[in-house]
């Protein structure tokens, strides 16, 4: 029983102690005893009194030590010392509570010195233990000195070692007091006291296990304070004490389990090693070890994924020993697997007993792991991810039944989490994909891709992350080398069409979130890896054929996504898509090349028409929101290169483009058609005109796409639309070069007869003239260049035709009159670049007029009235420009020869030189006007140059 007043413990009756019966001693020993007691009588009395002299008791204790344990009395008989200890015990115990710290120190050390030398120590325990309990087991700390408290715990430990080994009988009566004292000592603020208390727990569990079991979970709960102490040495001692306490009574396991789990992730390697050694002992020595295996195995499983090699090896060894014990105790369960492993070998696999032990506990471990993956603490989530990694390696294919529980938890983890947690979750998924059939995990993953997590972006990202890891696991080299799992890639390939169709869904590959697109590229990369893994395998041909087109369609959509380096994930997405495209090409034994825009050209050779047909099927439904589809068309045509000019491909491409240009489509779709043409026609010979067939589709293009787009409409969108039409028109004119394709003559890529016939009907020249008045400077510039190129082509055509009356007329007189007026206006443009181009275009237009003049013939009769005109197919089409037109042109141009910009001066000078060369009439007009304004110009150099040419033309007539 604990004493309420420590000062009243064991009152000392000095007289009775001095008269203690020593008759049982031999005469010689009795004489020694009497002599020593007479010399110590006064000192013993001093110990029993409260004296004002603080040094009196200290001197008394020193004398007692010297007289009984000093150097001169080392040979003192044990029996004599035992009798002396009986007399001294009560006064010494009373000194344990003395107000002088040194007295308490000396008295405790004196008892420690007597204890191992006396023969009847168990009989003295009835006096010692209540005193120790009174000093250490009170609600408040009774002994203020940390050193003395430590001495008291040392005394208890030494007493346990002296009394306990005697079958526990000597310690059993005092076990309750020991435990009560320990429950307080384990909470002591002094770390050394906690460590010594932990060692004492180990001894109590060995000497009086039954008494310790009566305490239930009190001791393990008290040990929690040591397990979370800041000193690693205290934590280690606490783990060793906990090991013994739980082996005695498992009742406290649940109370400390979470703390033990966290200690498995301790920063100190020694602590982690102690945790795993403790769990290993429990798995081997606990009576109920198989009932609590699901609680203990996760700790070892987590340790097997530790970053330190020796920790991993230690955990593996502990698990191996537990598996070996299982094989002995449950030989009937594992006999078949042991025989299989002996016959086929099990290199790289856990032993059969360890695998069975994992399978027996899989269900409860998975439940705990799923709860752990939802914990608010990232460290806990990472730990349970490591547990699942090891569990799957041990459970192997038996984890299949838990796929529907594991994968959604992993999706949530990867949706939004720390990088290291996501890495662990992906490792779990990779192992899961190795052992679980693709049809199982795809049935779970694909629906989650659409509806899981409410269809949120972050959840879809998590699904795609895990999906790519699952695929990697199914195609990993370890799977291929495993005789039990080597069929996984072929199984995966047979299920691939469903997955590819899911990825092609507009909500997935057409998503605007770059994070999702990056992970889609990762999934496609793994799909291509599966194709590569089974290329050439027996029975894989048909499945490969079904998969490769779908994969290519997803890749070109990914490569069509716009972005730049500033957009997070864009570079990674594009790089992975390019690499996947290259791998896909190589997988079909085609010629591979370094990653570039031409990567996959052989694939496009095979599937270009299919891709265009696929785009054409969805084209009628395109709206302004179908940005990706329009970009995909552009990507396909650009990457196809010269293949786009093949007859079948060219026809399908223009079917889509012309269909997009229909008035029924939104303006953005029609604009997309022109943007596609604008980009592809940057190099027509390397794309649409590689087989010289482009001109056959130009008439439809002019009529259905370009001409409607050139009609002026209000609004910035309509203006941008006209700008793209002008860009395409300019690329089709191609500098006004005259070409011959069989019986067809072209200006650029436009058939001449189309310009002469449809151009007049569609009023292309009139629309171009209107575009010269656009608000956007780039459009005015483009229009001026087109007019110049058309004039150049018309002039070359007129020059070739001469006076052949049946020749077509690309630009007639009325159109010349309209164009030169608009170009004259552009000479006053706010942008010098446009003024220069307008002057150049005027020069080309004047040259064309000169060639047009050469086609004039005399027209007789009433209709011609003696004038010359251009006659086409027997009809008078136009008469030449009269003097008024030339005067207007020359006057407007002459002003700009005095411009401050030299480029404009030179361009206008060149144009006026062309005017002077057209005819004697035009030369006369130039000469007269320039002579009249010569004195107004700052420099007459350019005027003199033009006048010289004009005078020469006038002389020539």
């Amino acid at each position: 029983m604990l004493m309420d007043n420590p000062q009243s413990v064991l009152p000392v009756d000095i007289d009775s102690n001095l008269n203690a019966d020593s008759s049982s001693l031999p005469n010689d020993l009795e004489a020694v005893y009497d002599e020593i007691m007479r010399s110590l009588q006064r000192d013993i009395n001093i110990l029993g009194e409260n004296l004002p002299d603080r040094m009196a008791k200290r001197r008394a204790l020193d004398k007692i030590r010297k007289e009984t344990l000093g150097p001169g009395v080392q040979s003192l008989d044990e029996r004599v010392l035992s009798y002396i200890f009986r007399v001294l015990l009560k006064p010494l115990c009373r000194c344990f509570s003395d107000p002088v710290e040194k007295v308490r120190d000396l008295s405790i050390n004196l008892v420690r010195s007597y204890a191992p030398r006396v023969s009847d120590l168990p009989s003295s325990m009835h006096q010692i233990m209540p005193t120790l309990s009174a000093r250490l087991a009170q609600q408040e700390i009774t002994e203020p000195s940390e050193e003395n408290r430590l001495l008291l715990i040392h005394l208890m430990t030494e007493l346990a070692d002296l009394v306990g080994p005697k079958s526990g009988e000597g310690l059993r009566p005092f076990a309750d007091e020991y435990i009560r004292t320990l429950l307080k000592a384990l909470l002591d603020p002094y770390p050394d006291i906690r460590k010594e208390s932990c060692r004492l727990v180990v001894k109590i569990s060995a000497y009086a296990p039954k008494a310790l079991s009566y305490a239930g979970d009190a001791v393990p709960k008290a040990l929690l304070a040591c397990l979370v102490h800041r000193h690693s040495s205290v934590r280690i001692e606490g783990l060793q004490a906990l090991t013994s306490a739980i082996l005695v009574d498992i009742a406290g396991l649940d109370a400390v389990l979470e703390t033990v789990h966290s200690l498995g992730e301790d920063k100190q390697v020694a602590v982690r090693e102690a945790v795993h050694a403790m769990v290993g002992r429990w798995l081997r020595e606990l009576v109920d070890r198989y009932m609590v295996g699901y609680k203990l195995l996760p700790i070892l499983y987590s340790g097997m994924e530790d970053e330190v090699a020796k920790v991993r090896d230690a955990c593996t060894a502990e698990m191996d020993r537990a598996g070996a014990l299982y094989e002995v105790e449950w030989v009937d369960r594992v006999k078949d697997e042991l025989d299989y492993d002996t016959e086929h070998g099990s290199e790289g696999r856990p032993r059969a007993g360890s695998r069975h032990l994992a399978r027996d506990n899989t269900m409860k471990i998975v439940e705990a792991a799923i709860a752990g993956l939802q914990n608010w603490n990232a460290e806990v989530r990472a730990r349970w991810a490591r547990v699942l990694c090891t569990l799957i390696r041990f459970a192997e294919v038996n984890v299949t039944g838990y796929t529907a529980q594991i994968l959604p938890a992993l999706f949530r983890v990867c949706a939004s989490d720390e990088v290291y947690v996501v890495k662990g979750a992906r490792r779990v998924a990779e192992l899961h994909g190795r052992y679980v059939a693709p049809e199982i995990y795809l049935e779970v993953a694909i629906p989650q891709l659409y509806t899981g997590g409410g269809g949120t972006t972050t959840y879809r990202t998590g699904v795609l992350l895990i999906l790519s890891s699952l695929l990697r696991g199914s195609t990993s080299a370890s799977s291929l080398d495993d005789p039990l799992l080597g069929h996984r890639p072929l199984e995966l390939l047979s299920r691939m069409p469903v997955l590819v169709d899911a990825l092609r869904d507009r909500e997935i590959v057409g998503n605007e979130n770059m994070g999702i697109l990056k992970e889609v590229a990762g999934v496609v990369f793994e799909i291509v890896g599966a194709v590569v893994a089974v290329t050439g395998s027996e029975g894989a041909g048909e499945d490969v054929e079904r998969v490769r087109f779908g994969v290519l369609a997803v890749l070109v959509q990914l490569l069509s996504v716009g972005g730049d380096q500033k957009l997070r994930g864009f570079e990674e997405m594009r790089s992975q898509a390019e690499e996947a495209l290259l791998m896909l090409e190589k997988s079909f034994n085609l010629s591979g090349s370094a990653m570039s825009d031409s990567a996959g050209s052989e694939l496009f050779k095979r599937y270009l028409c299919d891709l265009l047909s696929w785009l054409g099927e969805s084209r009628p439904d395109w709206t302004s929101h179908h940005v990706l589809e329009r970009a995909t068309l552009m990507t396909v045509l650009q990457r196809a290169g010269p293949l786009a000019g093949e007859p079948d491909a060219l026809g399908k491409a223009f079917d889509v483009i012309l269909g997009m240009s229909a008035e029924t489509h939104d303006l953005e779709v029609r604009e997309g058609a022109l943007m596609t043409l604008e980009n592809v026609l940057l190099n027509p010979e390397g794309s649409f005109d590689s087989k010289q067939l482009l001109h056959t589709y130009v008439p439809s293009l002019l009529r259905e796409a370009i001409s409607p787009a050139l009609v002026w409409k209000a609004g910035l969108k309509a203006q941008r639309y006209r700008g793209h039409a002008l860009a395409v028109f300019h690329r089709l004119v191609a500098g006004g070069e005259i070409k011959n394709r069989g019986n067809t003559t072209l200006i650029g890529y436009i058939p001449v007869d189309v310009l002469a016939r449809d151009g007049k009907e569609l009023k292309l020249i009139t629309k171009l003239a209107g575009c010269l008045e656009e608000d956007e400077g780039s459009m005015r510039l483009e229009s001026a260049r087109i007019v110049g190129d058309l004039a150049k082509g018309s002039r070359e055509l007129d020059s070739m035709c001469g006076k052949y009356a049946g020749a077509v007329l690309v630009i007639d007189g009325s159109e010349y009159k309209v164009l030169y007026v608009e170009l004259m206006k552009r000479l006053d443009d706010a942008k010098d670049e446009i003024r220069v181009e307008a002057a150049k275009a005027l020069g080309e237009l004047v040259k064309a007029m000169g060639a047009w003049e050469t086609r004039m013939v005399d027209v007789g009769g009433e209709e011609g009235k003696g004038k010359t005109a251009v006659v086409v197919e027997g009809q008078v089409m136009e008469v030449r420009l009269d003097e008024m037109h030339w005067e207007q042109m020359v006057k407007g141009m002459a002003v700009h020869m005095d411009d401050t910009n030299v480029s404009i001066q030179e361009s206008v000078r060149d144009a006026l030189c062309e005017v002077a060369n057209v005819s004697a009439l035009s030369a006369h007009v130039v000469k007269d006007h320039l002579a009249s304004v010569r004195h107004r110009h700052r420099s007459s150099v350019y005027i003199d140059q033009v006048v010289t040419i004009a005078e020469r033309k006038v002389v020539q007539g």
Side-chain angles (χ1 to χ4, degrees):
M1 296 292 291
L2 294 176
M3 309 300 293
D4 294 329
N5 184 3
Q7 299 296 331
S8 64
V9 175
L10 301 175
V12 180
D13 186 350
I14 300 296
D15 295 332
S16 62
N17 283 333
L18 292 173
N19 296 325
D21 185 12
S22 59
S23 59
S24 59
L25 291 172
N27 293 334
D28 55 338
L29 296 180
E30 185 176 2
V32 173
Y33 168 76
D34 291 339
E35 181 182 355
I36 293 174
M37 291 305 297
R38 279 192 295 270
S39 66
L40 297 178
Q41 179 176 354
R42 183 174 181 277
D43 299 300
I44 295 173
N45 289 334
I46 290 173
L47 295 179
E49 296 292 335
N50 292 323
L51 301 176
D53 186 358
R54 296 173 61 87
M55 297 297 292
K57 290 185 180 180
R58 179 173 178 177
R59 288 191 296 269
L61 289 169
D62 286 338
K63 182 179 179 182
I64 292 172
R65 172 176 286 280
K66 181 179 179 180
E67 294 294 331
T68 59
L69 301 173
V73 293
Q74 289 296 327
S75 60
L76 193 63
D77 190 274
E78 181 182 290
R79 288 170 290 178
V80 175
L81 200 60
S82 297
Y83 273 88
I84 295 173
F85 182 62
R86 290 178 190 175
V87 176
L88 294 174
L89 183 58
K90 287 184 179 180
L92 289 175
C93 288
R94 179 166 183 151
C95 288
F96 282 10
S97 58
D98 193 87
V100 180
E101 180 180 340
K102 188 61 179 178
V103 172
R104 300 197 301 273
D105 185 339
L106 291 172
S107 61
I108 295 170
N109 279 316
L110 201 55
V111 174
R112 292 181 64 192
S113 300
Y114 278 118
R117 291 180 172 86
V118 299
S119 58
D120 58 346
L121 182 61
S123 63
S124 302
M125 293 286 288
H126 291 284
Q127 298 181 43
I128 299 173
M129 285 309 301
T131 304
L132 294 175
S133 180
R135 297 302 293 169
L136 296 174
Q138 300 305 306
Q139 189 68 28
E140 301 294 334
I141 295 177
T142 304
E143 173 55 62
S145 171
E146 293 179 340
E147 290 76 8
N148 285 345
R149 294 202 303 274
L150 180 59
L151 289 175
L152 290 171
I153 294 296
H154 278 302
L155 176 58
M156 292 181 68
T157 303
E158 292 165 1
L159 292 175
D161 284 333
L162 292 170
V163 177
K166 300 176 181 179
S167 302
E169 294 298 330
L171 189 62
R172 189 174 299 167
F174 316 105
D176 181 57
E177 288 174 317
Y178 259 93
I179 293 171
R180 290 175 60 199
T181 303
L182 282 173
L183 293 179
K184 294 297 182 182
L186 288 170
L187 304 177
D188 197 281
Y190 189 35
D192 287 347
I193 295 177
R194 292 195 184 193
K195 289 193 284 187
E196 189 62 29
S197 300
C198 291
R199 298 187 190 108
L200 186 53
V201 171
V202 175
K203 296 181 182 299
I204 298 297
S205 65
Y207 300 147
K210 190 170 183 180
L212 186 62
S213 67
Y214 290 155
D217 60 355
V219 174
K221 286 182 177 180
L223 283 168
L224 284 174
C226 299
L227 298 181
V228 297
H229 197 272
R230 65 180 183 276
H231 293 173
S232 61
S233 58
V234 177
R235 298 197 295 274
I236 292 173
E237 293 291 349
L239 288 168
Q240 293 172 352
L242 184 63
T243 303
S244 301
I246 296 299
L247 286 174
V248 170
D249 188 357
I250 203 173
L253 179 61
D254 290 336
V256 300
L257 190 61
E258 186 58 36
T259 303
V260 173
H261 268 290
S262 63
L263 287 175
E265 311 299 322
D266 197 276
K267 294 180 180 180
Q268 296 295 324
V269 175
V271 176
R272 301 203 297 272
E273 289 178 328
V275 170
H276 301 140
M278 174 184 69
V279 174
R281 279 194 63 190
W282 287 349
L283 284 173
R284 295 190 305 274
E285 300 177 18
L286 276 174
V287 177
D288 299 328
R289 53 184 171 272
Y290 296 118
M291 295 180 62
V292 296
Y294 69 94
K295 299 178 181 179
L296 305 180
L297 287 173
I299 302 171
L300 278 184
Y301 287 166
S302 178
M304 293 176 74
E305 293 285 323
D306 196 277
E307 59 185 8
V308 179
K310 67 176 183 178
V311 176
R312 295 196 299 270
D313 295 341
C315 291
T316 303
E318 293 290 352
M319 194 66 207
D320 194 65
R321 286 191 283 269
L325 180 62
Y326 189 97
E327 291 172 4
V328 173
E329 296 179 339
W330 301 95
V331 64
D332 293 339
R333 292 186 181 182
V334 299
K335 183 177 183 303
D336 292 341
E337 288 198 40
L338 288 173
D339 294 341
Y340 180 87
D341 289 348
T342 302
E343 180 178 351
H344 297 88
S346 59
E347 184 178 356
R349 297 179 69 193
R351 66 185 305 152
S354 300
R355 299 198 302 268
H356 261 277
L357 185 58
R359 294 169 193 169
D360 291 347
N361 295 278
T362 298
M363 182 179 71
K364 291 186 177 181
I365 293 178
V366 168
E367 290 176 357
I370 291 173
L373 289 174
Q374 298 173 1
N375 193 282
W376 65 270
N377 191 329
E379 294 289 345
V380 174
R381 296 195 295 274
R383 182 179 76 222
W384 280 105
R386 291 194 292 273
V387 170
L388 278 177
C389 282
T390 309
L391 174 64
I392 292 172
R393 285 207 304 270
F394 280 88
E396 297 178 338
V397 296
N398 293 277
V399 79
T400 300
Y402 305 97
T403 301
Q405 289 79 39
I406 294 175
L407 291 189
L410 296 179
F411 298 156
R412 286 188 290 271
V413 167
C414 291
S416 176
D417 218 320
E418 301 289 342
V419 174
Y420 65 95
V421 181
V422 173
K423 184 178 179 181
R426 297 192 71 178
R427 175 64 179 150
V428 174
E430 186 173 340
L431 288 168
H432 198 86
R434 177 184 176 185
Y435 292 107
V436 177
E439 62 178 322
I440 303 298
Y441 65 69
L442 287 179
E443 285 181 3
V444 176
I446 291 177
Q448 292 286 322
L449 193 59
Y450 293 111
T451 60
T456 60
T457 297
T458 53
Y459 193 85
R460 280 181 175 169
T461 303
V463 175
L464 290 167
L465 276 167
I466 295 302
L467 192 53
S468 63
S469 299
L470 289 167
L471 298 175
R472 187 181 307 116
S474 294
T475 58
S476 62
S478 55
S479 295
L480 294 173
D481 295 338
D482 194 325
L484 297 177
L485 305 173
H487 60 285
R488 285 283 183 262
L490 286 174
E491 288 184 3
L492 176 60
L493 196 65
S494 66
R495 300 289 175 178
M496 203 68 73
V498 178
L499 176 58
V500 172
D501 289 343
L503 294 177
R504 287 170 61 184
D505 188 274
R506 194 165 182 270
E507 291 188 9
I508 307 301
V509 75
N511 201 289
E512 295 180 357
N513 185 278
M514 188 53 64
I516 287 183
L517 297 182
K518 176 186 172 184
E519 302 313 327
V520 169
V523 174
V524 174
F525 183 84
E526 298 302 334
I527 293 174
V528 175
V531 174
V532 172
V534 299
T535 298
S537 300
E538 184 178 354
E542 293 182 2
D543 291 331
V544 168
E545 289 293 331
R546 290 201 304 268
V547 169
R548 58 186 178 185
F549 171 73
V551 172
L552 181 60
V554 175
L555 286 174
V556 294
Q557 287 180 286
L558 290 174
L559 292 170
S560 304
V561 176
D564 54 31
Q565 294 179 351
K566 296 180 181 179
L567 186 59
R568 184 179 178 183
F570 175 76
E571 288 293 327
E572 295 87 340
M573 180 275 290
R574 193 169 185 85
S575 175
Q576 203 159 33
E578 292 280 11
E579 189 175 353
L581 189 62
L582 189 60
M583 287 176 58
L584 187 62
E585 184 176 2
K586 290 181 178 179
S587 71
F588 300 123
N589 297 320
L590 301 174
S591 58
S593 59
M595 282 193 299
S596 65
D597 287 343
S598 62
S601 58
E602 292 295 332
L603 287 173
F604 284 102
K605 184 176 182 180
R606 290 193 179 192
Y607 296 110
L608 179 58
C609 290
D610 293 335
L611 288 170
L612 292 172
S613 298
W614 163 59
L615 290 169
E617 289 174 1
S618 63
R619 192 270 309 160
D621 299 326
W622 290 0
T623 66
S624 59
H625 303 291
H626 289 75
V627 178
L628 180 62
E629 286 77 359
R630 303 196 297 271
T632 302
L633 174 63
M634 187 182 300
T635 300
V636 169
L637 294 176
Q638 286 177 332
R639 288 178 173 268
L643 299 173
E646 296 289 339
D648 291 343
L650 189 62
K652 292 181 180 295
F654 271 95
D655 285 344
V656 177
I657 292 172
L658 294 176
M660 292 170 63
S661 302
E663 290 291 333
T664 54
H665 277 300
D666 293 344
L667 179 62
E668 289 79 3
V669 178
R670 286 178 275 146
E671 183 182 1
L674 294 176
M675 290 174 64
T676 301
L677 286 168
E678 183 180 350
N679 282 275
V680 175
L681 290 177
L682 284 171
N683 179 21
E685 284 74 16
S687 57
F688 277 165
D689 202 43
S690 61
K691 299 299 180 181
Q692 298 186 349
L693 297 173
L694 174 60
H695 66 280
T696 60
Y697 294 93
V698 169
S700 299
L701 187 60
L702 287 173
R703 180 175 294 276
E704 299 178 29
I706 296 176
S707 178
L710 293 178
V711 177
W712 189 92
K713 291 181 182 179
L716 292 177
K717 290 184 177 180
Q719 182 187 70
R720 189 171 60 245
Y721 181 37
R722 292 194 299 276
H724 290 301
L726 286 172
V728 174
F729 198 0
H730 189 207
R731 284 162 174 69
L732 290 175
V733 174
E737 181 185 359
I738 299 297
K739 304 175 183 178
N740 289 304
R741 298 284 170 82
N743 296 326
T744 305
T745 302
L746 310 176
I747 295 182
Y749 299 97
I750 306 176
V752 171
D753 58 342
V754 172
L755 278 174
R757 183 184 64 251
D758 294 352
K760 301 294 185 293
E761 180 183 343
L762 299 174
K763 298 181 180 180
L764 290 177
I765 299 299
T766 303
K767 292 175 181 176
L768 278 175
C771 290
L772 286 168
E773 297 281 356
E774 286 286 351
D775 294 335
E776 180 62 37
S778 60
M779 295 175 63
R780 299 196 300 271
L781 181 65
E782 197 84 57
S783 301
R785 288 172 176 170
I786 294 173
V787 170
D789 290 343
L790 281 176
K792 177 183 176 182
S794 179
R795 186 244 313 161
E796 292 182 0
L797 185 64
D798 288 341
S799 299
M800 289 189 298
C801 294
K803 295 185 178 181
Y804 172 52
V808 296
L809 196 62
V810 175
I811 302 178
D812 58 30
S814 61
E815 292 169 339
Y816 281 127
K817 295 171 185 178
V818 171
L819 289 175
Y820 91 79
V821 173
E822 294 299 330
L823 289 173
M824 293 287 291
K825 292 178 183 178
R826 290 305 99 217
L827 292 178
D828 293 317
D829 200 278
K831 296 184 177 181
D832 286 350
E833 182 184 10
I834 298 176
R835 297 173 67 194
V836 171
E837 287 297 330
K840 291 178 180 179
L842 268 172
E844 292 295 339
L845 193 66
V846 170
K847 287 182 184 179
M849 290 178 180
W852 174 59
E853 290 274 357
T854 63
R855 296 181 63 185
M856 296 292 178
V857 296
D858 292 329
V859 181
E862 192 64 27
E863 183 181 2
K865 296 182 180 179
K867 298 181 179 180
T868 57
V870 177
V871 179
V872 178
E873 297 180 355
Q875 296 182 356
V876 177
M877 301 300 297
E878 269 300 337
V879 296
R880 69 176 74 243
L881 270 67
D882 56 26
E883 185 176 355
M884 181 186 67
H885 292 289
W886 293 121
E887 287 180 357
Q888 182 181 2
M889 189 183 303
V890 172
K891 288 179 180 179
M893 295 168 67
V895 175
H896 298 285
M897 267 208 308
D898 196 33
D899 197 273
T900 55
N901 191 322
V902 176
S903 298
I904 295 174
Q905 285 181 306
E906 292 176 349
S907 299
V908 173
R909 178 205 60 191
D910 295 340
L912 281 172
C913 288
E914 296 300 334
V915 173
N917 272 322
V918 171
S919 65
L921 176 61
S922 64
H924 182 75
V925 172
V926 170
K927 173 178 170 295
D928 291 346
H929 181 74
L930 291 183
S932 65
V933 298
R934 184 175 184 276
H935 64 283
R936 301 178 187 172
H937 286 233
R938 286 168 292 182
S939 173
S940 61
V941 174
Y942 295 128
I943 289 181
D944 293 341
Q945 292 174 359
V946 178
V947 169
T948 301
I949 294 174
E951 290 175 345
R952 187 184 306 125
K953 186 65 175 179
V954 170
V955 171
Q956 292 174 355

